[in-house]
Amino acid sequence: MTLLVSLQPYSDESLSGFLRRVSERNFAPSVGAFLKCIGLKSRLTYSESELARLSSELGVGVAELTRRQVQQESIAALLQAKHHGRNVKICPLCIAQAPYERIGWTHGAITACPHHEVRLVSHCGACNHPIGRDSSLEICRCGSAHAQAPAIAASRGELALSALLLDVDHVARHSLPLAWQRGLAPVDIVDLLSLLGRHFPGDAALAPQSKIPSGKPTIDVLGARTLSGIELMMDWPNRFDNALAMRLKSTEGPGLAKRLGVWYRELHQRYLNTAYDCLRNALVQHLSEGFDGHLNLRISTLDPQHLQGKCWLTSEEAGRLIGMGSELVRTAVITGEIEGKHTVRGQNRFVSIHRNVVEQVRRDRQQYFDATTTRKQLGVSKVVFERLMQAGALRKRTKSERPPLVAGEFFAEEVLALVARLAGSLDVRDVPSERLVGLHDISGRRGISTDSICNVLHRILASEIRPVLIVTSLHGLAGLRFDLQDITNNVIDTEREPMLLVTDIVRLRGWKHENILQWIKQGVLGAVTQIHAGRPQHRIPLSALLDFMSNYAVLADLASRSGSKSNHLLLSLKPAKVAPVGVAGCGVKRGVLVRIDDLLRAAQLNKRQQASS
């Protein structure tokens, strides 16, 4: 189908509104008739294949169309299909400015325009006919202009709710909890507000309803409940605190659910987003300070009979799940090392930790090994393990680098990756059995000095000396076997080759200390890392320095010799496709290197261009 008029959607235009505008400009009687011409039906949500067809016909990208349509499983609260109806609500002032449908005008909970601070209109002001998805947004069928409909001022609650869902910065939104005042709303916030509005409908906060209506609410009911829920959150936390205080004060008895209602269980079990922590904290605060029912000092145990269903745990329960003492968990919460709730009542202290925090601690602890576990995973003795550490096989994390309550010092993935990397570098060849040695055999008994052992292990870690055999019955690195001849040859080379410190190169070449460390980290400058006085020390073989200088040129040195600046020189080399080594992003950073081969290629290219001209 060839369109008479091709259009592009506005930045905040919905997909249904865009289709309406395209059908009107191409003289189609309705959106359904227009879609029928291209083999589609009018839907609330279109499939991927249907969006691809629309993209082909309309000349608009699939991604642009997708972000404008409501979806069954949308990650945005604004675009969840279950909250949208068939009719459209419009802002008369927006229509007067530009007659197109904005994203969110079909959402049941959006009833106001935060830009003009007026209520949205769902019916014609003259004949009261509803505005449908196929209806014109400019003129009703009775001839009245929708832009001339009365503009009724919206309430603070309506403005706050609409601004929250549309992610608009509005003064009414600033009275909501801090986590709700900026950014996109959590995906399930409409369901949460509807839940609160269902249990706290308007002035019914004094006592829980004996029977709460169940089932899927209509769009109008959803809007009313959500508005009641947002009104409860306005002027945070005063209205919410007052509603809870009045509800608990007006009821009696030991049962929490009977007095407060069962909504708090869903809050803890279903709505786990951190944006709702404000609700959880306010509830726990009320229960700890004002609830006179039977909690048995288990304030966070909202369902004490079912541990698996709880979202807040005591320190004892959290300790059992994590696998550590409850006193350590309690101390971590009190000192702020992990998130949790600490309540003091007389001589009693109560600590509660959210299940998400407990699960995160469990996952963190599983990702780290202590020294004993690491050594067992490697399959080496304490002596060999210490030598491997001196050669830089693994990096030990300090306490400040590890997540809370993690005692292990070694990252588990790095340990397993080390075993896999060395086993994967196998160089299979026939070697006499008397020349086969393991890591534990690299010692003075084989004629290898203590000073040379670290260099040998470093070359093994760099795959410069590769295993020739793996004994599969042994675990980890214990089964690796090397050719003794390769090791002795390396010892001879190592003893003859001078080694330089980073400070030596700084003195000889004038390069900056941090730039040299950066080159070592990038792998362009070979170095041997040893532990000296408890700190890592880099030693650069002379051959590695010569290899570096023969392959790379320091951009700052070239700029100094040419009387230019590094960024100007790099820009002049860019047409010849001379790119810096190991630099991501834009701009020139310190210690930039260029390959000498690239410079030679650029010189040859320039020579050919001059010859041809």
Side-chain angles (χ1 to χ4, degrees), residues 60 126 153 178 245 307 325 429 452 589:
V60 180
L178 182 62
L307 176 62
R429 64 177 188 266
S452 301
K589 301 179 180 179

Side-chain angles (χ1 to χ4, degrees), residues 440-451:
H440 59 282
D441 296 319
I442 304 176
S443 62
R445 293 178 299 175
R446 298 284 183 170
I448 304 173
S449 65
T450 304
D451 295 336

Side-chain angles (χ1 to χ4, degrees), residues 9-21 31 44 68 70 84-91 94-95 98-107 131-135 137:
Y10 293 105
S11 60
D12 59 342
E13 188 175 17
S14 67
L15 178 58
S16 59
F18 179 57
L19 293 177
R20 177 196 288 110
R21 196 160 56 89
V31 175
L44 189 64
R68 300 171 186 278
V70 299
H84 288 257
R86 301 298 301 180
N87 293 335
V88 182
K89 301 184 292 291
I90 65 171
C91 170
C94 288
I95 294 298
Y100 66 90
E101 179 187 330
R102 274 67 169 176
I103 296 175
W105 277 4
T106 60
H107 197 288
I131 305 173
R133 286 184 176 271
D134 283 334
S135 304
L137 296 185

Side-chain angles (χ1 to χ4, degrees), residues 592-612:
V592 175
L593 304 174
V594 292
R595 292 184 175 87
I596 294 178
D597 290 344
D598 291 347
L599 296 176
L600 293 175
R601 177 177 50 77
Q604 292 295 327
L605 178 62
N606 185 50
K607 182 178 180 181
R608 287 195 297 270
Q609 290 176 348
Q610 290 179 353
S612 62

Side-chain angles (χ1 to χ4, degrees), residues 209-256:
Q209 293 176 287
S210 58
K211 186 175 182 180
I212 301 295
S214 59
K216 182 179 180 181
T218 63
I219 292 299
D220 293 336
V221 171
L222 173 71
R225 287 180 179 175
T226 311
L227 182 58
S228 296
I230 203 69
E231 292 282 359
L232 194 66
M233 305 298 292
M234 296 285 289
D235 301 323
W236 181 261
N238 297 334
R239 293 193 185 184
F240 184 75
D241 288 343
N242 291 338
L244 287 181
M246 294 174 64
R247 174 70 60 86
L248 295 176
K249 184 178 180 180
S250 62
T251 56
E252 295 180 354
L256 180 60

Side-chain angles (χ1 to χ4, degrees), residues 340-408:
K341 179 71 177 179
H342 175 218
T343 304
V344 179
R345 192 171 185 176
Q347 298 295 325
N348 299 318
R349 291 175 177 265
F350 184 83
V351 167
S352 58
I353 308 98
H354 196 277
R355 178 176 290 276
N356 288 351
V357 177
V358 175
E359 293 296 337
Q360 184 62 50
V361 172
R362 288 184 62 188
R363 289 192 294 268
D364 290 339
R365 288 171 63 86
Q366 292 170 357
Q367 293 177 358
Y368 287 81
F369 291 155
D370 57 18
T372 302
T373 305
T374 301
R375 186 167 54 81
K376 290 180 179 180
Q377 289 290 332
L378 296 178
V380 297
S381 64
K382 291 184 179 180
V383 174
V384 175
F385 179 69
E386 290 297 329
R387 290 173 177 173
L388 286 172
M389 291 301 299
Q390 291 179 2
L394 296 169
R395 189 169 76 87
K396 182 183 294 186
R397 265 68 174 184
T398 63
K399 184 177 181 180
S400 60
E401 295 176 313
R402 302 193 300 268
L405 299 180
V406 173

